[in-house]
Every structure is written in C-alpha cells, then in structure tokens.
Amino acid sequence: MGAWGTDPFENDTAADFVALLRRTRKANRLGLIRTAFEECDRICLLIKQGTITSSLSERDIDELKSSRIANLEWYRKNGQEFPFHIFPEYASEEAWIKHASTPVAVDGSDEALRAIAAAQILAENICERSSKGRAVPLIELTTDQRAELSGIAINTLECVLTNDVFAEAWGQEWGDVSSGILLIDNALMPFKKQPPPSS
C-alpha cells in the first residue's frame, strides 16, 4: 500500500487518488468519490464471504519480466550486487515467473485507502468554511447531498473498520489508522440523514 504514515493522505494509493481528483473537472469529482465508496463496499463484502485472491495476467507477467531484467541491469551497471538473499525470486526467470504467477490474498487495502481519502475529502468540503483547508474542492453540496453522501461514507468507513484482513496488514499501526477513521466518521455524523422518529 506504500504507506509513509497513518493519516488519510499519507500513502501512495491516497496520493494517487487525490492527484486523479485534482486532474478531474470539479463537476465530475463526486462521481469518483462515490465510486471509491462503492468499490470499497464491494471488496469488503467479498472478503467477508471468504478469502479472495488475485492473479496477474500474462501481459502483466511479461511487463514484470522486463522490469526484473531492467532492475538486474541497473545493479550490474552500477557495480553493485543484487540482494538475492532478500529477493530470491529474482534469481532466475523461472523463479520470477513462478513468483509472479502465484495468486495473492486480497486484503482490500487499495480500496479502503481510496475510500478513507474520499471520506476525508468529503468531510473537509462539508465541514470547512474556507476552501483553503481542503485537499480537493468539490462542487457546493446541497443539504440533501451532504446527508446522503455522509451516510454512504459512514457506512463504508464502518466496513473498513470491520475488515480484519486490512487491519492485520497495518499491524501495530492499526490503532492510529482506526482512530483517524473514527475522526472522519465523527465529523460526518452530524450531517448524516437521521431516520424519522418512530411513532
């Protein structure tokens, strides 16, 4: 997941998502926010139903073979020994293909990190009076849009918090990550549409 911190934007996935939103026309940004929530919900549901794995396509493996050759060449040109003791899969093309072809368990990290970043962006746009503190400005939201999107974001964040596989991927840092998620959750909660009182 390429994390350098536990805050919503302190990882490569979130940084890429923020960059994508900034390149996208303001009118279309809400669509990407919604998609981030939907994809996270989908993957969390699949994980709850059982372990899911992903495999690389032949094209991906071919690209990785080229990458392996380029990495080895870089070390050779720079007069350095490649650290095969750390990356034994680089030892031969056969070992590399076997490594790259092995299905890996999906923990929903990318989807969760995008959803957390999306929820943070939403919270900033709903709660911040000035646009100066916003990572990505969205269109002005109506009261109904705020209520609907806050509800969707809160439900998605709850899915993230109950994704044990994602939590395990963070190890000891999970406490900080989950605290940050709860802060976003708490910021959005007042805007969530409340169910009508029972009579």
Side-chain angles (χ1 to χ4, degrees), residues 77-119:
K77 279 184 178 177
N78 288 282
Q80 298 179 33
E81 281 192 39
F82 187 85
F84 289 110
H85 62 290
I86 299 173
F87 304 104
E89 64 272 15
Y90 272 76
S92 68
E93 185 173 304
E94 183 182 32
W96 178 251
I97 292 171
K98 183 179 177 183
H99 170 76
S101 303
T102 304
V104 294
V106 174
D107 63 8
S109 288
D110 285 343
E111 292 80 7
L113 293 170
R114 271 191 290 273
I116 294 166

Side-chain angles (χ1 to χ4, degrees), residues 131-153:
S131 61
K132 286 183 181 177
R134 302 175 190 176
V136 180
L138 302 175
I139 58 168
E140 196 62 39
L141 300 170
T142 66
T143 302
D144 286 345
Q145 285 175 316
R146 290 178 184 186
E148 180 204 8
L149 288 166
S150 293
I152 293 169

Side-chain angles (χ1 to χ4, degrees), residues 19-31:
L20 172 64
L21 284 171
R22 286 177 178 158
R23 290 194 306 269
T24 302
R25 290 179 56 192
K26 206 172 184 180
N28 297 332
R29 290 174 182 171
L30 274 185

Side-chain angles (χ1 to χ4, degrees), residues 5-135:
T6 57
D7 287 349
F9 300 134
E10 292 182 343
N11 60 79
D12 292 338
T13 303
D16 289 345
F17 182 65
V18 168
L20 172 64
L21 284 171
R22 286 177 178 158
R23 290 194 306 269
T24 302
R25 290 179 56 192
K26 206 172 184 180
N28 297 332
R29 290 174 182 171
L30 274 185
L32 291 175
I33 297 277
R34 285 178 180 275
T35 299
F37 295 145
E38 289 166 4
E39 282 300 301
C40 185
D41 292 344
R42 183 185 67 79
I43 206 79
C44 283
L45 180 62
L46 289 172
I47 289 169
K48 282 182 182 176
Q49 291 172 347
T51 304
I52 58 173
T53 58
S54 72
S55 301
L56 296 175
S57 68
E58 285 185 28
R59 181 179 174 185
D60 290 334
I61 291 171
D62 285 341
E63 286 178 8
L64 286 172
K65 280 197 287 190
S66 299
S67 173
R68 170 188 170 269
I69 291 166
N71 283 335
L72 292 172
E73 182 64 16
W74 184 91
Y75 272 84
R76 190 189 65 75
K77 279 184 178 177
N78 288 282
Q80 298 179 33
E81 281 192 39
F82 187 85
F84 289 110
H85 62 290
I86 299 173
F87 304 104
E89 64 272 15
Y90 272 76
S92 68
E93 185 173 304
E94 183 182 32
W96 178 251
I97 292 171
K98 183 179 177 183
H99 170 76
S101 303
T102 304
V104 294
V106 174
D107 63 8
S109 288
D110 285 343
E111 292 80 7
L113 293 170
R114 271 191 290 273
I116 294 166
Q120 176 67 27
I121 289 164
L122 183 63
E124 288 174 359
N125 278 270
I126 290 175
C127 304
E128 295 279 344
R129 291 181 182 272
S130 165
S131 61
K132 286 183 181 177
R134 302 175 190 176

Side-chain angles (χ1 to χ4, degrees), residues 6 161 173-186:
T6 57
L161 286 169
E173 294 179 312
W174 176 244
D176 292 337
V177 175
S178 57
S179 294
I181 293 170
L182 288 171
L183 285 174
I184 303 169
D185 195 72
N186 291 336

